[in-house]
């Protein structure tokens, strides 16, 4: 193996490892990478699908899309440019993406900065501060999230109230379903390298205009007395509702979230309202029926009086990155 080939496989393995910092529904981390001598493959891990909550796999694939974007950025930060084939084989639906045609170019300074943002990005479900987000920041986040054909619609006050009603309805539906409750209980308040530990869950329901998910148990994260009146809400959506669209939506989520992190903006994904068919239809009504909703985002400036919550745990690199095809070469 030449020095260039060795540098490539090292960069691929490092990018796959860095991608493990990506957000995923309930921190399921449903991805598996395979490093090849001349490329990198992303596969979905069906064993970590929320079969009751997400039977179609929309959030499963969206989570993998976020990891895909993380890997793209990590490669660019190391000076590699790659083409990406999404859902390359219809007869192999678990193969979500493949990096091909990698060429060595100069390291991208913006990508290097975003890799730093990956290390500090987290989900803070507590109310945000009373300071509104600057319009320039919202514009920059929107531009980043819509670079690959996915769109982000900022909701006006009336739409936020509609969203609040839909989120409350979705929470009621899910809280009354024993399978959904059991699945949520399995992935929350646990110790280990996947799922949501108690330290990242609020100790009491936060005072928010749009209710967040009821995790069925209190966490240990102090909430405080704030509200989210200065928060903004947005709908991530696209023209189609197929796996490749969910994958791109995850990439858009990652791009927007990392940009928000760079700008000091807190992002909380709200998936409950998308998980229930009836409330997902209500979201589609906000789009006048011309788009398919993938995820709702709450954005705001974190309350400076509170320290951020801890990061969620991550699977070890050996559990998510397969280097057997290049080992010993």
């Amino acid at each position: 193996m030449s020095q260039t080939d060795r540098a490539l496989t090292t960069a691929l393995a490092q990018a796959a490892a860095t991608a493990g910092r990506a957000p995923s529904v309930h921190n399921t981390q449903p991805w598996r990478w395979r490093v090849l001598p001349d490329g990198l493959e992303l596969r979905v891990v069906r064993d970590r699908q929320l079969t009751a909550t997400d039977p179609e796999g929309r959030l499963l694939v969206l989570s993998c899309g976020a990891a895909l974007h993380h890997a793209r950025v990590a490669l660019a930060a190391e000076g590699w440019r790659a083409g990406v084939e999404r859902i390359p084989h219809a007869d192999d639906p678990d193969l979500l993406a493949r990096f091909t045609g990698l060429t060595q170019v100069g390291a991208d300074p913006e990508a290097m900065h975003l890799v730093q943002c990956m290390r500090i990005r987290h989900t803070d479900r507590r109310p945000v501060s009373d300071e509104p987000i600057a319009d320039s920041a919202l514009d920059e986040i929107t531009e980043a999230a819509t670079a690959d054909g996915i769109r982000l619609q900022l909701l006006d006050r009336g739409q936020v109230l509609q969203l609040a009603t839909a989120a409350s309805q979705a929470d009621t539906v899910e809280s009354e379903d024993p399978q959904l409750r059991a699945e949520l209980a399995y992935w929350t308040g646990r110790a280990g390298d996947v799922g949501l530990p108690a330290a990242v869950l609020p100790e009491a329901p936060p005072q928010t205009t749009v209710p967040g998910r009821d995790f069925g148990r209190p966490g240990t994260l102090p909430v405080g007395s704030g509200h989210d009146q200065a928060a903004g809400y947005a709908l991530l959506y696209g023209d189609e509702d197929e796996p490749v669209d969910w994958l791109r939506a995850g990439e858009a989520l990652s791009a927007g979230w990392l940009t928000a992190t760079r700008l000091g903006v807190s992002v909380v994904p709200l998936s409950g309202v998308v998980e229930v068919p009836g409330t997902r239809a209500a979201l589609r009504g906000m789009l006048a029926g011309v788009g398919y909703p993938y995820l709702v985002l709450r954005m705001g400036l974190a309350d400076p009086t509170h320290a951020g919550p801890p990061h969620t745990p991550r699977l070890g690199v050996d559990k998510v990155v397969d280097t057997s095809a290049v080992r010993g070469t």
Side-chain angles (χ1 to χ4, degrees):
M1 177 180 284
S2 70
Q3 186 174 356
T4 300
D5 291 340
R6 190 173 294 108
L8 172 59
T9 56
T10 298
L12 291 171
Q14 290 177 342
T18 300
R21 297 179 180 273
S24 57
V25 59
H26 294 357
N27 193 34
T28 48
Q29 305 168 60
W31 45 70
R32 177 78 171 169
W33 296 91
R34 184 170 182 241
V35 181
L36 303 173
D38 59 350
L40 182 65
E41 291 182 342
L42 169 62
R43 288 187 171 272
V44 65
V45 179
R46 301 284 175 183
D47 289 348
R48 292 200 286 276
Q49 179 175 354
L50 306 176
T51 54
T53 304
D54 183 35
E56 295 175 320
R58 182 180 287 102
L59 296 173
L60 176 81
V61 175
L62 190 151
S63 298
C64 290
L68 174 58
H69 179 264
H70 270 46
R72 287 171 51 198
V73 172
L75 278 174
E78 291 297 321
W80 291 91
R81 181 169 55 211
V84 180
E85 298 176 354
R86 295 169 179 82
I87 321 289
H89 298 298
D91 58 350
D92 188 2
D94 287 354
L95 177 59
L96 296 183
R98 178 186 292 134
F99 288 86
T100 60
L102 286 111
T103 56
Q104 199 163 17
V105 296
D108 184 336
E110 175 64 18
M112 295 172 67
H113 195 173
L114 292 181
V115 168
Q116 295 175 347
C117 292
M118 293 177 194
R119 299 189 176 102
I120 61 174
R121 183 209 60 79
H122 60 272
T123 304
D124 190 343
R125 296 175 176 84
R126 296 173 296 182
V128 294
S129 74
D130 294 332
E131 183 181 352
I133 307 171
D135 289 342
S136 59
L138 289 173
D139 290 343
E140 198 166 340
I141 294 167
T142 300
E143 181 179 0
T146 54
D148 289 321
I150 302 299
R151 285 174 278 179
L152 188 69
Q153 176 172 314
L154 301 176
L155 304 183
D156 61 30
R157 180 62 181 174
Q159 290 172 324
V160 170
L161 294 178
Q162 293 177 51
L163 172 63
T165 299
S168 180
Q169 291 173 344
D171 190 61
T172 298
V173 170
E174 295 197 325
S175 66
E176 293 176 352
D177 187 314
Q179 287 185 310
L180 291 175
R181 290 202 310 271
E183 187 171 73
L184 184 63
Y186 177 82
W187 289 101
T188 56
R190 58 185 290 166
D193 47 15
V194 294
L196 301 173
V200 304
L201 302 179
E203 63 182 4
Q207 297 299 309
T208 56
T209 302
V210 178
R213 188 189 298 276
D214 179 0
F215 289 97
R217 67 178 75 191
T220 59
L221 182 66
V223 173
S225 59
H227 202 276
D228 74 335
Q229 293 177 356
Y233 290 84
L235 186 55
L236 194 69
Y237 73 101
D239 293 333
E240 303 295 337
D241 197 27
E242 299 296 331
V244 68
D245 305 297
W246 309 338
L247 191 67
R248 286 190 179 276
E251 294 177 81
L253 171 66
S254 170
W257 201 337
L258 291 178
T259 298
T261 301
R262 177 172 58 79
L263 296 170
V265 175
S266 169
V267 175
V268 177
L270 303 175
S271 62
V273 70
V274 180
E275 296 161 6
V276 175
T279 53
R280 187 166 65 247
L283 292 182
R284 196 171 183 213
M286 295 183 191
L287 302 172
V290 297
Y292 294 89
Y294 306 131
L295 201 62
V296 173
L297 305 179
R298 188 198 79 178
M299 297 182 288
L301 301 180
D303 189 337
T305 63
H306 295 294
H311 291 275
T312 49
R314 287 294 184 267
L315 289 162
V317 173
D318 60 315
K319 295 181 180 180
V320 294
V321 183
D322 176 9
T323 59
S324 61
V326 297
R327 199 174 300 142
T329 59

